[in-house]
Amino acid sequence: MNIRVISGNLTKDPALRTLNDGKRVANFTVAVSTGYGDRKVTEFVQVAAWNGNADFVMRFAKKGTKVMVSGPNYLKSYKNRDSVDVYYNEIAADDIEIHFDNRDSSDSGNS
């Protein structure tokens, strides 16, 4: 099974795009930290949320929001300016939970 579950904070506001076929996708990056002290490591995970999940993220998430995301993990690539292939992982979000603190809204929920 190819499912990844992460929990962390958005590094910036999500970006919404509408494709030619009308599908909506919100792209965002989640900073996921593991370990502690000298051994703390932060990974920056790319996430794509589609249609209803995209709407949910755009409504409730912003830079710094704590989220938990689960979905299949895909290896993607692109060519950089030097025509070198760059590889990265991206989660296609099936489930997104927003973790509000007391200073945020009392709304919460799953998509």
Side-chain angles (χ1 to χ4, degrees), residues 5-8 30 66-70 95-99:
V5 179
I6 62 168
S7 180
V30 178
K66 183 154 184 86
V67 296
M68 185 162 61
V69 176
S70 64
D95 186 52
I96 302 168
E97 295 181 15
I98 306 277
H99 296 270

Side-chain angles (χ1 to χ4, degrees), residues 28-68:
F28 55 97
T29 303
V30 178
V32 179
S33 295
T34 57
Y36 59 92
D38 296 1
R39 297 193 173 142
K40 185 174 182 177
V41 176
T42 302
E43 178 185 2
F44 298 94
V45 180
Q46 305 299 314
V47 179
W50 292 87
N51 298 314
N53 281 341
D55 298 336
F56 177 79
V57 166
M58 294 306 294
R59 181 171 178 196
F60 293 108
K62 62 181 187 263
K63 180 180 178 178
T65 301
K66 183 154 184 86
V67 296
M68 185 162 61

